[in-house]
């Protein structure tokens, strides 16, 4: 285990080494909710000058200038805050915006993604290396590992429920999570099974596919207020004809969690897994 962790840290250092310079970056634009959370968890938030739209936790991050959605960044907005480093989750874009920022010679570090415990550890270590606080990152990564281990131990021996994650229900059409998604990743870490594995990504699903999946629990995001309209509510889910006849629909087993906590795969992933595992266990029992 020690060798694996040393290797992971060395890989992270190699990833960011080309972008490091004599003076540590002091004006950082953080792009991606999980990256911003890690910066705060490492106590380096005083170095931030901007964030993207997905960076909403902790709440004080929202006081920073917003330079747009991670996949629809504004180069002008980013350059206006005069960053000496752009730290981003993988997948930032559009490509022409990234090319413009690189042409402006603004150092940019893309942090590796992924939806596993190992991926979260690598992400934390990469951010720590970029900020030149590797020791603090090691401590944080170890803490997250311990939380995940405790959550796995608590869930050990429980029956693995089949979980259908619904991303949205606009117009009554269900957009759900298949393989290789952050939703599947968090469901797996919580000791459950993704109910839909015939496709990758998030896709619309038919009533027939939902019936065949026969989920034990329906999982949805909750953002509060009007933001929930697009994602759907528990009543909408239970009232949907295809969902109503599933085991989840029959027992009223719907779990809703904050979207960034649930799918962020940042330093709160241990908290997310613990909360989700407990919620899945009790879902439907109060119906």
């Amino acid at each position: 285990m020690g060798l694996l962790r040393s290797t992971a840290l060395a890989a992270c250092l190699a990833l960011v080494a080309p972008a490091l310079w004599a003076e540590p970056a002091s004006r950082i634009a953080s792009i991606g909710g999980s990256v911003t959370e890690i910066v705060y968890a490492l106590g380096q938030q005083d170095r931030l000058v901007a964030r993207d739209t997905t960076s909403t936790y902790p709440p004080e991050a929202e006081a920073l200038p917003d330079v747009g959605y991670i996949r629809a960044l504004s180069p002008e907005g980013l350059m206006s805050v005069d960053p000496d480093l752009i730290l981003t989750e993988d997948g930032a874009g559009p490509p022409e915006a990234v090319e413009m920022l690189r042409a402006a010679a603004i150092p940019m570090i893309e942090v590796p993604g992924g939806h596993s415990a190992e991926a979260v550890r690598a992400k934390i270590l990469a951010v720590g290396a970029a900020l030149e606080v590797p020791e603090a990152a090691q401590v944080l990564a170890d803490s997250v590992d311990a939380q995940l281990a405790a959550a796995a131990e608590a869930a050990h021996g429980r029956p693995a429920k089949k979980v259908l994650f619904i991303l949205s229900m606009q117009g009554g059409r269900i957009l759900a999570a298949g393989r290789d998604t952050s939703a599947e990743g968090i469901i797996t870490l919580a000791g459950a099974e993704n109910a839909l594995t015939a496709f990758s990504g998030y896709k619309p699903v038919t009533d027939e596919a939902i019936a065949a999946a026969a989920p034990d629990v329906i999982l949805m995001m909750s953002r509060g207020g009007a933001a929930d309209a697009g994602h759907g509510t528990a009543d909408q889910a239970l009232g949907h004809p295809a969902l109503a006849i599933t085991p989840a629909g029959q027992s009223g087993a719907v779990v809703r969690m904050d979207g960034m906590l649930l799918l962020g795969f940042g330093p709160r992933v241990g908290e997310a897994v613990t909360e989700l595992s407990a919620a899945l266990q009790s879902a439907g029992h109060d119906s």
Side-chain angles (χ1 to χ4, degrees):
M1 181 64 73
L3 177 58
L4 287 174
R5 290 182 176 179
S6 297
T7 302
L9 179 57
C12 291
L13 288 169
L15 175 71
V16 302
L20 299 181
W21 46 93
E23 293 296 325
S26 60
R27 298 185 57 81
I28 300 170
S30 181
I31 309 299
S34 67
V35 168
T36 301
E37 284 195 32
I38 294 170
V39 174
Y40 274 85
L42 293 174
Q44 300 299 307
Q45 61 269 23
D46 290 347
R47 298 162 67 180
L48 294 178
V49 296
R51 52 100 187 184
D52 79 311
T53 302
T54 70
S55 297
T56 58
Y57 186 90
E60 51 264 38
E62 296 192 76
L64 292 165
D66 184 346
V67 294
Y69 178 57
I70 182 172
R71 305 196 198 288
L73 295 172
S74 163
E76 296 81 8
L78 269 166
M79 288 188 283
S80 72
V81 298
D82 191 27
D84 54 16
L85 173 64
I86 297 173
L87 191 58
T88 177
E89 290 179 3
D90 62 341
E96 53 269 26
V98 174
E99 289 174 11
M100 187 179 298
L101 292 167
R102 293 194 187 281
I106 302 174
M108 181 180 293
I109 295 174
E110 187 174 273
V111 176
H115 310 129
S116 65
E118 295 78 11
V120 174
R121 182 178 187 85
K123 188 185 295 186
I124 292 170
L125 295 179
V127 173
L131 300 180
E132 300 186 50
V133 288
E135 295 85 1
Q138 187 79 33
V139 171
L140 178 60
D142 288 346
S143 174
V144 171
D145 282 349
Q147 288 178 316
L148 288 171
E153 179 64 24
H156 183 69
R158 295 175 182 170
K161 294 187 176 183
K162 288 200 297 181
V163 181
L164 172 67
F165 176 81
I166 297 177
L167 182 63
S168 73
M169 291 187 64
Q170 291 184 333
R173 295 195 66 192
I174 294 175
L175 186 66
R179 301 187 314 275
D180 307 317
T181 57
S182 53
E184 182 179 71
I186 201 73
I187 289 168
T188 301
L189 284 176
E193 298 176 359
N194 184 15
L196 293 173
T197 58
F199 59 88
S200 296
Y202 298 93
K203 293 183 179 179
V205 289
T206 64
D207 290 358
E208 292 77 13
I210 291 170
D216 301 304
V217 182
I218 297 164
L219 178 59
M220 309 173 80
M221 291 192 295
S222 175
R223 293 182 179 173
D228 284 338
H231 298 296
T233 65
D235 287 343
Q236 287 174 327
L238 295 175
H240 191 283
L243 293 170
I245 62 173
T246 66
Q250 292 291 297
S251 65
V254 178
V255 171
R256 301 183 72 216
M257 284 179 59
D258 174 76
M260 190 60 210
L261 172 64
L262 183 67
L263 304 180
F265 278 85
R268 294 187 294 158
V269 67
E271 176 187 342
V273 170
T274 300
E275 181 178 329
L276 177 58
S277 181
L280 293 178
Q281 184 68 14
S282 61
H285 289 181
D286 299 328
S287 301

